[in-house]
């Protein structure tokens, strides 16, 4: 049975955890008629799964990446997941200003991962 590379596993797990967290935080926006306490409890349930992915991803990822790299990776993944979620699930378009803001964040991520001589 093939194993996932230690450099790829944390990325995949952080991606999956962000899908769960995005639904936990923003999925309820399509159900605004639902009572808030019910929404909070449902979100906690979804976030529970997210924690079971994010915490091991960071623990195992720390063998390969620094904490700053893991956090930066998580933020970039969050933006990618949220952009897709916003367009596909919430049906909210993204404009040029979103693209430019994401580009600046991607540049910041490049700086974090770049090894300076």
């Amino acid at each position: 049975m093939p194993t996932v590379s230690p450099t790829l596993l944390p990325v995949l797990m952080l991606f999956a955890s962000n899908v769960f967290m995005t639904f936990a935080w923003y999925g309820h926006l399509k159900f605004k008629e639902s009572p808030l306490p019910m929404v909070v409890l449902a979100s906690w349930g979804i976030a529970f799964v997210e924690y079971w992915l994010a915490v091991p991803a960071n623990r195992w990822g720390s063998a390969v990446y620094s904490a700053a790299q893991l956090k930066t990776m998580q933020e970039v993944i969050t933006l990618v997941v949220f952009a897709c979620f916003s367009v596909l699930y919430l049906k909210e378009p993204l404009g040029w200003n979103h693209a430019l803001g994401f580009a600046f964040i991607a540049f910041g991520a490049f700086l974090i991962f770049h090894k300076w001589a």
Side-chain angles (χ1 to χ4, degrees), residues 14 57-58 61-77 105-106 108-115:
L14 287 172
N58 285 303
S62 69
V64 180
Y65 302 105
S66 70
Q69 289 174 325
L70 285 166
K71 181 59 179 171
T72 302
M73 193 183 313
Q74 186 268 331
E75 294 300 335
V76 170
I77 291 168
I105 292 169
F110 167 79
L111 293 176
I112 297 293
F113 279 88
H114 186 75
K115 301 222 186 304

Side-chain angles (χ1 to χ4, degrees), residues 2-16:
T3 58
V4 179
S5 133
T7 56
L8 183 58
L9 182 62
V11 175
L12 295 174
M13 291 179 75
L14 287 172
F15 187 88

